[in-house]
Amino acid sequence: MNIKEMTRQDCVALLKTQRLGRLACVRDQKPYVVPVHFAFGENSIFSFSLPGRKVDWMRVNPHVCLQVDDVGGVNGWRSVVVEGLFEELPKARDPDAGMTSVERMTAPVDGDRKLAWSLLAAHANWWEPGALKPGDTLAPSGSHLFYQIRIEAMSGRQASW
């Protein structure tokens, strides 16, 4: 097995093709890791979530880490680690009354939220993991949020046989 460092270009290529990563955050010197669906933007990772433990922790300590990998082959694996800062993206200020609940909770506004929405919406059912409570029911409209991780550092390794 040959293991080597990935270039930034190789790391970005992997982030553009993957949708699932593991997000790590820390609060009171305790780590917490959860799977998240994401989309890659130029220098940010975008995601969508219900409030809860991960969001609470990231609001207190915005320094987070995202690990993404591709292990689906006999030829080896690739893994990228992104370090960055959590930033909540503002909600739509005045959604149209005629919108469905999914449209209301995901309505874009200008700037980064609009970019996040467009990148995430490129994938089918992108909102489901962040909009479902345990038991497969939609959470109340307005409780959802978009966030980004502003990338500060990125590294990766790959192995081949």
Side-chain angles (χ1 to χ4, degrees), residues 25-79:
C25 50
V26 174
R27 183 173 176 182
D28 300 327
Q29 299 181 354
K30 295 179 183 177
Y32 183 58
V33 178
V34 292
V36 294
H37 282 84
F38 71 92
F40 176 77
E42 282 302 309
N43 200 39
S44 292
I45 300 293
F46 296 100
S47 194
F48 175 75
S49 180
L50 283 169
R53 183 176 182 181
K54 107 177 142 259
V55 172
D56 291 344
W57 285 31
M58 292 189 300
R59 285 173 173 161
V60 171
N61 178 3
H63 297 276
V64 298
C65 184
L66 180 76
Q67 187 273 329
V68 178
D69 55 37
D70 178 10
V71 295
V74 295
N75 296 330
W77 51 263
R78 299 179 296 162
S79 178

Side-chain angles (χ1 to χ4, degrees), residues 85-107:
L85 290 173
F86 162 81
E87 182 178 318
E88 197 167 332
L89 302 176
K91 293 181 180 183
R93 288 177 280 286
D94 188 23
D96 292 336
M99 292 180 169
T100 68
S101 61
V102 170
E103 289 169 333
R104 259 194 310 280
M105 73 183 165
T106 63

